[in-house]
Amino acid sequence: MRVLVVEDEPHIAAAVERGLRAEGFGVDTAEDGEKGLLLARRNEYAVIVLDLMLPGRNGYDVCRTLRASDVMTPVLILTAKDGEYDEADALDLGADDYLTKPFSFVVLLARIRALLRRSSPQRPAVLTAGDLWIDPGAHRCGRGESLLELTPREFALLEYLLQHAGTVVSKTELLTEVWDAWFEGDPNIVEVYVGYLRRKIDTPFGRAAIETVRGVGYRLDGKGG
């Protein structure tokens, strides 16, 4: 799941991004309202964390414009404005929750999870390929009765491959969907994590579920290898 953080204070944006990534979320950031609005309209996010006092276009205007454009992504306001009228205005404009600075990351994370439960009342379907399965709602996966211990990134990579089982997905697509669209590290990180996955979901079971399609990308066998 991806979260958009629209925050002009670099240290706060970096701290929130770091914390959310550690919890397995994909994160995009914007330092002003215009960029935040552009990203929110262009991409699908699970939640938008939105500051109110932004350069250019403020958070109130961003929220109002999103709702007028029928973008109904849950919006969590994160701001230093702690007046009751400020909160009422934000909620009236379509925000779903309101948290004032300074804040606890534990509380922020709990608020985000609450918004996710509210906006996705149905439990995500269990994905399977043969005896390989992943339960996104419970954050569990395994082969048959054997549970697999995956890191958040490995879990996200396996989930995406299972969602597209039988289809070749490119390295670029995986970088965009499992890492983020502005990933600036070594693109070979995909090969590294595919290797990690193979050692956990295939090697111990004598399987070969993940196929490398040379020059194109990767395909997960719809029968689980």
Side-chain angles (χ1 to χ4, degrees), residues 119-184:
S119 61
S120 303
Q122 295 186 340
R123 184 189 179 106
V126 175
L127 304 169
T128 62
D131 66 346
L132 178 64
W133 58 271
I134 190 167
D135 184 344
H139 203 81
R140 297 169 70 245
C141 62
R143 269 205 183 272
E145 298 297 320
S146 301
L147 291 178
L148 302 172
E149 294 292 331
L150 303 183
T151 67
R153 187 76 71 189
E154 290 166 351
F155 191 93
L157 178 58
L158 178 58
E159 182 179 0
Y160 193 80
L161 289 171
L162 273 168
Q163 287 172 340
H164 299 82
T167 303
V168 179
V169 292
S170 69
K171 183 186 296 185
T172 300
E173 182 178 349
L174 289 171
L175 282 172
T176 299
E177 299 298 332
V178 179
W179 279 260
D180 62 60
W182 290 272
F183 179 76
E184 296 181 350

Side-chain angles (χ1 to χ4, degrees), residues 18 32-33 64 73 95 117 134 143 145 170 177 186-187 202:
R18 186 166 55 249
D32 60 62
R64 180 193 303 110
T73 307
R117 288 194 299 272
I134 190 167
R143 269 205 183 272
E145 298 297 320
S170 69
E177 299 298 332
D186 187 346
D202 283 344

Side-chain angles (χ1 to χ4, degrees), residues 36-47:
L37 184 59
L38 177 66
L39 291 175
R41 283 171 156 172
R42 178 190 297 168
N43 305 312
E44 290 188 11
Y45 294 101
V47 174

